[in-house]
Amino acid sequence: LRQTAQHLKSTLPEGNFLCRRSGDEFIAVLDVKTPWPAFQDTLKRIFEPALLTVNHRGSVQVTATFSAGAAVHPDHSSSIHELLVFADTALLFAKASGRNQIQWLNAQMMSATLRKAKVDSKLAVAIREGKITPHYQPEVDMLTGEIVGFEALARWDDEELGAVSPAEFIDLAEQSGVIDQLTQSMFKQVVD
């Protein structure tokens, strides 16, 4: 981590503020004083693989690569909290797009972040009020064509959000610690 921080500090433009966020994530705050295209070219140096030496039972060289997400003040937000959320969103897109690159926040990413925040804010209430309901899918014996059972699938239709995919709300339920309540709610609805 120390070598990674030293590498980032030495390759970032002067006047930067660099701190470790958690794990292997760092936050860099940069004051842009050069024209935008030149600044973006300067940042590309960060994404050249770095050779780091790890001393653990001998000296081992490791090649490190970097992914980054970027949000711009005040274009994307004036709130430090929102800027961090937006930069983190762009980072997720960078990692999903093949890593070792920088992704600048765009309208699609902002829309996805705002939707996720809305879904997250309504999730606990939807579970408590039984708005996430079971929809039954038949299980069919492929040899006979006979229905041998049903699978209960969680579905959520919200007045404001419309149809919310399980791919959206299941992960959020796990992250926010309400997955057990969701499971209990679904079980109760299926059994009753």
Side-chain angles (χ1 to χ4, degrees), residues 56-151:
H56 180 69
R57 296 184 185 151
S59 187
V60 178
Q61 291 199 320
V62 177
T63 302
T65 59
F66 305 92
S67 300
V72 178
H73 174 273
D75 298 6
H76 297 130
S77 179
S78 294
S79 158
I80 188 69
H81 174 72
E82 285 183 355
L83 286 170
L84 288 171
V85 169
F86 288 149
D88 200 41
T89 298
L91 173 61
L92 293 175
F93 274 78
K95 288 179 176 181
S97 301
R99 298 181 178 265
N100 199 35
Q101 61 180 290
I102 187 168
Q103 285 283 334
W104 295 87
L105 185 71
N106 60 37
Q108 175 192 5
M109 292 176 200
M110 286 181 75
S111 176
T113 301
L114 295 172
R115 169 131 177 129
K116 181 178 177 181
K118 276 190 177 182
V119 169
D120 194 32
S121 71
K122 292 179 151 227
L123 181 59
V125 173
I127 293 169
R128 189 172 52 252
E129 295 179 356
K131 292 184 177 183
I132 300 176
T133 59
H135 286 234
Y136 299 98
Q137 176 174 297
E139 293 178 342
V140 178
D141 182 321
M142 297 303 289
L143 295 175
T144 65
E146 181 181 335
I147 294 176
V148 294
F150 289 89
E151 180 180 12

Side-chain angles (χ1 to χ4, degrees), residues 1-12 18-20 22-27 46 50-54 62-67:
L1 286 175
R2 194 176 3 234
Q3 287 184 55
T4 301
Q6 289 168 349
H7 169 75
L8 291 172
K9 192 74 175 162
S10 69
T11 55
L12 286 168
L18 180 70
C19 65
R20 181 171 166 235
S22 65
D24 62 351
E25 287 190 17
F26 291 82
I27 295 172
I46 296 169
L51 196 58
L52 307 177
T53 303
V54 178
V62 177
T63 302
T65 59
F66 305 92
S67 300

